[in-house]
Amino acid sequence: MRHAGANSPSALARALERVPHRERPWIQELVYGTFRLRGRIDYLLDRLVRRGIASLDADILDVLRLGAYQLLEMDSVPVYAAVSQAVEMAKAIAGRGAGGLANGVLHSLQRQRDSLRFPDFEDDPVAHLASWGSHPEFLVARWVREFGAQGARALVEANNRRPSLYLRPIGLSPEDAARRLEEVGIASEPVPFAPDALHVPPPAGVREALDAVPAVVQDPAAGLVVRYAAVPNGVVVADLCAAPGGKTLGLAERAGYVAAADVSGDRLARVEENARRIGVSNVGFVVSDARWPALAGADVVLVDVPCTGTGTFRRHPDGKWRIGPTDLAALVELQREILDAAAEVVRPGGLLVYSTCSLEREENQDQVDAFLARHPGFIVEPPDAGTVDARLLDEVGRLVVLPQEWGVDGAFAARMRRSK
């Protein structure tokens, strides 16, 4: 759970295939909940392990984290069951001594859980939000500088809420999709600031919702990028970083043709599978690195670039533990290369739409400002008034969606016209 580069959602999905359906929700809650509160759990464990958690084997630390989450957050699990399970897992990994360690630490946590104190927010907001708020300290420090202490606190709290299920209907209106869902007993509700999205509250799940309507699972923030792009009817669109494909299929509703490209053939195959499931036929697929695109002369180019993903921690809580302070600079450079390459794919008079699911200024506003300085033939051109809620646009017309303000994922986009 702590190892850099691990794709935890994919690994969990593969593991769940071997588990009975009735046990899957419990396991998902345990795994994602532990990721969500890892910083809080680590702060507590570090005070209970004699030489600190840095002295522990990574796998033993993961066992302690899973046990601690059950004790702290899963009331349905008896204390003896959470502890004994952790003890047996630790023994299997590293022998009886590790089992004894797990037993001692978790019993101590259970006894002292109400007496252990976290840093006070008023005295040290960064330390409080890193520990109790369960986020990497370097990110919290950035957000305090960017949004202020209270803004960073609201962001951390938003990230720690369990994500909701949202659908983007494809090929029919949200109103018609809501009626179809209602016919099969599934409740849904509109999202006022994101007209293309439907919120599907529990107890409905993904499978039954997608069986009822042609749609993709998509957070409203991602759908707002498509709406902001305001692709004219019938044009040719190149989506240079297409996977996982929600934006691709959204663009296809108005475009005459969408060329969906991605560096990963496996991820692109899943986009193609989704297109077939929904019945979208005006999308073609090509495996291509966005730094050297195998396309040219498009009316509209979308580059939804690789990024830190700091706007999606509510949905991907493992993500906050997979990035470090040095990752940002490397991603900014990659984004710059992709943007410069994408500029050559747009025909004169066409549109280039740059987007991220990041909250970081270097990946967003600063990246676009630097691009415009290098490419004076492009200017920011927001869509027509009323296309998106004006509160979602910054002073120059770029899309900015913040989780702490809207209760959904974070997103950024800039719509730029090529004049020559």
Side-chain angles (χ1 to χ4, degrees), residues 48 71 102-113 115-116:
L48 300 172
L71 293 177
N103 185 68
V105 169
L106 292 178
H107 275 302
S108 294
L109 175 60
Q110 180 63 18
R111 287 194 306 270
Q112 300 179 48
R113 56 186 292 177
S115 60
L116 293 167

Side-chain angles (χ1 to χ4, degrees), residues 250-274:
L251 292 168
E253 287 196 285
R254 296 182 63 176
Y257 181 78
V258 179
D262 200 89
V263 71
S264 168
D266 288 342
R267 282 164 53 84
L268 199 60
R270 291 196 288 274
V271 181
E272 187 172 5
E273 180 182 335
N274 256 341

Side-chain angles (χ1 to χ4, degrees), residues 234-311:
V235 300
V236 174
V237 177
D239 185 353
L240 300 186
C241 305
K247 295 183 182 71
T248 304
L249 299 177
L251 292 168
E253 287 196 285
R254 296 182 63 176
Y257 181 78
V258 179
D262 200 89
V263 71
S264 168
D266 288 342
R267 282 164 53 84
L268 199 60
R270 291 196 288 274
V271 181
E272 187 172 5
E273 180 182 335
N274 256 341
R276 285 198 302 269
R277 173 180 63 81
I278 297 171
V280 174
S281 59
N282 61 333
V283 179
F285 302 90
V286 56
V287 177
S288 174
D289 190 315
R291 292 171 294 180
W292 304 285
L295 302 164
D299 299 307
V300 180
V301 174
L302 171 67
V303 279
D304 186 36
V305 294
C307 66
T308 56
T310 52

Side-chain angles (χ1 to χ4, degrees), residues 296-329:
D299 299 307
V300 180
V301 174
L302 171 67
V303 279
D304 186 36
V305 294
C307 66
T308 56
T310 52
T312 63
F313 290 161
R314 183 175 56 113
R315 199 164 301 281
H316 302 292
D318 59 302
K320 59 188 172 185
W321 309 116
R322 289 193 287 115
I323 62 170
T326 61
D327 293 327
L328 180 59

Side-chain angles (χ1 to χ4, degrees), residues 116-132:
L116 293 167
R117 294 288 178 262
F118 290 85
D120 182 74
F121 175 77
E122 300 300 331
D123 293 339
D124 192 338
V126 172
H128 175 84
L129 295 175
S131 56
W132 174 257

